[in-house]
Amino acid sequence: MNGLCYRGNIEMPAISVENVSKRFRKGQAGYRTLREDIYNLTGRLTRPRSSEGADKNYTWALKDVSFQVEPGEKLGIIGPNGSGKTTLLRLLAGITRPTKGKISLKGRLGVLIELMAGFHPELTGRENVYLNGAIMGMARAEIRRKFDEIVDFAGVGEWIETPIKRYSTGMQVRLGFAVAAHLEPDILLVDEVLAVGDTAFQNKCLGKMGDVAREGRTVVFVSHNMAAVRSLCNRGIVLNQGSAEFAGPMGEAIYYYQGLMRGRDIQAVKRMQGLQVVGLRVSPGSSRPRFTSDGPLVAEMDFFTDHPLPACYLNFVIEDGDGRFLVHSRTDLFDLWPSFGPGLHRVRVDVPRLGLRGGVYTLWFRLYVAAGGVTEMADSDRAMLEVDGPQVGGLVDVPCSWSWTEVKG
């Protein structure tokens, strides 16, 4: 039996994916409507069966993917662009059906996998909150009880009676996430929507997803931000070209993915033009990445240039959720102006002791080029950091020693 199945067996996993594959016709944009499904089905019934060569007209977005997610587990799904991550999330959400295989879910879904998903642009923010709750199967009284909390989290109280179509992108994302996370779903599905918001909003969302997970609910998080999935998820799946190539602890999944991407980077360099950052890697220099306040940090940025760069400087920043620079180092302040020839280059910063209190931070790497008496930022990249350490005290953990003595007379 193919399709999406909901069952009430209390012993079953929260999510069960069994040998799932998804095929699309080449050139097909997006996902079909019911009308198009009926048209294609009647066409297949009335047309003679084609030869095996007809399969060349299709592409497999997912191929024989199987896994289970236990209640309360936090699963991160990572992989290169086009690997099938969003397709898998859409299948879990019931937006589209698998071509082969079976998906079983236990409990109420909270879904945020694309901007405006589940929203009607002509309805107000208030009306859309109630609409989404009703779609999730919630009683009006339940939605009313959570309404003020949702609006406060999203920060859209001033515009809650305004049609959604007049909201900015950031407002739409904030309200969509607030609805999905606050209406007490048993399973929360979140795609890479955090990239749209600012740093403070990203940290707020990660905190809320952590709260949902600690309440025993199941979270499935798709992201390109390795620090974010590492901070939230305890298990990971790496998709590549539609197949689940790795499943295991989140830290190990990230290292598998990074190795996969390094191999792609080398091939991509041959096709590059201009100047651009290839990738940013952050680690403590060990095989199992875990950031602690008193531990080290290593950051490496790879960039490619197809022309000489006679004078550059590099900027390394770690900022908190309010955008305050807690760590800031620039090569030009030490009168260091490295030059680079055409090709692929790697820049590395070693921090022997991180010294940050526990929390989520953003790390920036920026490359500046000096030309004609003007210095301009050429390219940059960023990553999120989750630091385990003291939650109280100053912004940074500076070593201090204490002593005391008795003063007489």
Side-chain angles (χ1 to χ4, degrees), residues 241-261:
Q241 297 180 343
S243 298
E245 289 195 355
F246 181 92
M250 195 69 245
E252 296 178 15
I254 289 172
Y255 267 87
Y256 184 95
Y257 167 76
Q258 290 174 334
L260 182 67
M261 293 307 295

Side-chain angles (χ1 to χ4, degrees), residues 45-67:
L45 293 174
T46 56
R47 290 191 298 269
R49 186 176 297 274
S50 59
S51 64
E52 294 182 2
D55 196 54
K56 296 179 181 179
N57 296 325
Y58 293 88
T59 182
W60 290 92
L62 290 173
K63 293 172 285 188
D64 199 27
V65 174
S66 297
F67 62 91

Side-chain angles (χ1 to χ4, degrees), residues 174-189:
R174 293 200 302 272
L175 185 59
F177 182 89
V179 170
H182 284 80
L183 293 183
E184 300 183 354
D186 300 300
I187 302 170
L188 178 61
L189 308 179

Side-chain angles (χ1 to χ4, degrees), residues 31-212:
Y31 295 81
R32 299 190 306 265
T33 64
L34 177 60
R35 179 180 178 180
E36 291 169 321
D37 277 336
I38 294 172
Y39 174 82
N40 291 332
L41 174 61
T42 55
R44 288 196 299 270
L45 293 174
T46 56
R47 290 191 298 269
R49 186 176 297 274
S50 59
S51 64
E52 294 182 2
D55 196 54
K56 296 179 181 179
N57 296 325
Y58 293 88
T59 182
W60 290 92
L62 290 173
K63 293 172 285 188
D64 199 27
V65 174
S66 297
F67 62 91
Q68 291 185 341
V69 186
E70 299 303 320
E73 193 171 19
K74 290 85 69 181
L75 178 71
I77 301 177
I78 57 179
N81 289 331
S83 60
K85 302 185 299 297
T86 298
T87 296
L88 177 57
L89 218 56
R90 287 173 177 267
L91 289 169
L92 294 176
I95 294 174
T96 187
R97 299 180 302 280
T99 306
K100 300 178 182 177
K102 182 173 69 174
I103 298 174
S104 301
L105 303 178
K106 183 185 75 173
R108 188 159 60 194
L109 276 177
V111 181
L112 188 59
I113 63 174
E114 63 181 16
L115 189 61
M116 295 289 285
F119 282 168
H120 191 295
E122 300 296 335
L123 299 180
T124 67
R126 177 185 298 276
E127 292 166 336
N128 272 290
V129 170
Y130 279 91
L131 174 63
N132 271 255
I135 291 172
M136 289 175 59
M138 297 191 69
R140 191 172 182 83
E142 289 183 86
I143 304 170
R144 188 182 302 115
R145 188 172 65 250
K146 286 284 185 176
F147 183 83
D148 290 343
E149 188 177 346
I150 291 170
V151 174
D152 180 66
F153 185 95
V156 297
E158 185 178 348
W159 302 276
I160 197 64
E161 307 300 344
T162 302
I164 286 286
K165 66 180 181 181
R166 296 197 173 93
Y167 282 28
S168 68
T169 298
M171 291 165 63
Q172 294 170 11
V173 170
R174 293 200 302 272
L175 185 59
F177 182 89
V179 170
H182 284 80
L183 293 183
E184 300 183 354
D186 300 300
I187 302 170
L188 178 61
L189 308 179
V190 183
D191 203 352
E192 186 77 274
V193 296
L194 301 186
V196 180
D198 57 24
T199 302
F201 172 70
Q202 292 172 15
N203 293 341
K204 195 174 181 181
C205 290
L206 288 172
K208 182 59 182 177
M209 285 193 287
D211 292 342
V212 170

